[in-house]
Amino acid sequence: MTTMNVSLPDELKSYVDEQVGDGGYGSTSEYVRDLIRRDKDRQHLRRVLLDGVASSPGPLADAAYFASLRNSIRSTT
């Protein structure tokens, strides 16, 4: 694991300390790692959503569509 030093104003440092104490984090590093993971997840979701918006429409997801999916699954088992 690599070490990274981050400088924070007193107000942000106090906030981080509160989050560690109140949020069940074991350390400041654990809290920051969680923030980074959440940001990565958020950016991934954004990319997926934008890709979906840019793609052509798929089939209509109505009752017949789901019945067809269930039939396909049953025929492969």
Side-chain angles (χ1 to χ4, degrees):
M1 196 173 294
T2 304
T3 299
M4 177 185 286
N5 295 316
V6 178
S7 298
L8 298 174
D10 290 339
E11 180 183 336
L12 289 179
K13 172 72 168 95
S14 295
Y15 178 79
V16 169
D17 290 341
E18 287 175 27
Q19 297 307 304
V20 170
D22 298 341
Y25 295 98
S27 67
T28 301
S29 293
E30 188 178 317
Y31 175 68
V32 172
R33 283 191 298 270
D34 187 49
L35 288 177
I36 294 168
R37 284 186 198 104
R38 289 173 189 242
D39 187 54
K40 283 179 64 177
D41 290 346
R42 182 189 59 80
Q43 288 194 29
H44 174 73
L45 177 59
R46 179 179 166 80
R47 278 191 304 275
V48 169
L49 290 172
L50 289 174
D51 288 348
V53 168
S55 68
S56 59
L60 180 63
D62 58 5
Y65 172 79
F66 288 106
S68 171
L69 283 178
R70 283 190 292 276
N71 289 336
S72 294
I73 292 168
R74 286 183 189 123
S75 67
T76 60
T77 55

